[in-house]
């Protein structure tokens, strides 16, 4: 749902298998236990859902689950399966990155949670920092989170100072001069980045 913008939060993970009715009888308390798992994790949270069905036949997500998860501090979901009730999910404030939409939820009982999953070819662990937008998502493990904010701020300033401001104000500059100056600034951009990241390792 790209109209809702970016989302950022910490991963909580769950597997579902909507085609399999046996999970409800085998784990009658699964929903409550899963909710207790959610409650024990500080937010903001992004729910990473692995759908075990291939092909997909049902959705873990809909109006009810969206509102329940929102009440428990979740801001969105990334699922390699389906979503439904997309208008209602939007109204609840739950953002979604999903492979498909579908018409029903089938048996949406949580199967396993708090485990490492792979969705869209990316491995995600409980507690990973997630950033997602209309282009896709990134999962950042704990050891890489320490200097992340400083690095993001630096690279944004580095791009603006060395490249973007020049390009945006280059109207009327002869193209051969633009090429030479842009190359010089590109070299400076790389040097500044190398210097910054070397300083983090000292």
């Amino acid at each position: 749902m790209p109209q809702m913008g970016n989302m950022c939060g910490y991963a909580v993970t769950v597997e579902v298998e909507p085609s399999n009715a046996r999970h409800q009888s085998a784990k009658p308390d699964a929903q409550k236990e899963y909710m207790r798992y959610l409650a024990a994790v500080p937010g903001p949270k992004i729910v990473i859902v692995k759908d075990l069905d291939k092909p997909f036949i049902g959705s873990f997500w809909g109006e009810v689950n969206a509102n329940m998860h929102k009440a428990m501090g979740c801001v969105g979901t990334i699922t390699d399966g389906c979503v439904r009730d997309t208008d209602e999910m939007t109204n609840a404030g739950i953002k979604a990155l999903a492979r498909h939409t579908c018409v029903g939820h089938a048996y949406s009982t949580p199967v396993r949670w708090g485990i490492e999953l792979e969705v869209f070819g990316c491995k995600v662990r409980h507690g990973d920092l997630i950033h997602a937008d209309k282009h896709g998502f990134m999962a950042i493990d704990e050891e890489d989170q320490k200097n992340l904010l400083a690095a993001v701020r630096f690279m944004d300033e580095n791009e603006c100072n060395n490249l973007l401001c020049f390009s945006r104000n280059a109207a009327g500059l002869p193209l051969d001069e633009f090429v030479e100056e842009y190359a010089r600034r590109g070299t400076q951009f790389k040097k500044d980045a190398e210097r910054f990241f070397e300083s983090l390792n000292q």
Side-chain angles (χ1 to χ4, degrees), residues 151-165:
V152 169
R153 285 175 171 168
F154 169 79
M155 290 302 291
D156 187 56
E157 291 177 0
N158 195 20
E159 285 183 345
C160 289
N161 293 339
N162 281 310
L163 302 173
L164 290 176
C165 289

Side-chain angles (χ1 to χ4, degrees), residues 5-58:
N6 302 351
M7 60 177 166
C8 188
Y10 293 95
V12 288
T13 61
V14 60
E15 278 185 345
V16 297
E17 190 178 18
S19 68
N20 192 341
R22 293 191 298 272
H23 293 304
Q24 286 188 342
S25 56
K27 295 183 176 181
D29 294 327
Q31 180 72 14
K32 183 183 292 186
E33 292 174 9
Y34 167 68
M35 291 177 68
R36 286 174 175 161
Y37 158 67
L38 290 179
V41 181
K45 293 167 269 196
I46 295 177
V47 188
I48 311 299
V49 183
K50 177 70 175 180
D51 192 327
L52 299 177
D53 283 335
K54 302 292 185 294
F56 306 112
I57 71 158

Side-chain angles (χ1 to χ4, degrees), residues 72-113:
M72 300 195 71
C74 301
V75 297
T77 183
I78 298 169
T79 174
D80 68 350
C82 301
V83 294
R84 59 188 290 271
D85 292 344
T86 54
D87 290 339
E88 289 81 359
M89 289 183 69
T90 298
N91 290 338
I94 290 291
K95 304 174 183 181
L97 181 64
R99 195 177 294 276
H100 298 289
T101 57
C102 68
V103 299
H105 55 71
Y107 301 98
S108 58
T109 304
V111 177
R112 295 193 300 163
W113 48 88

Side-chain angles (χ1 to χ4, degrees), residues 51 110 118 128 150:
D51 192 327
E118 183 173 323
D128 282 353

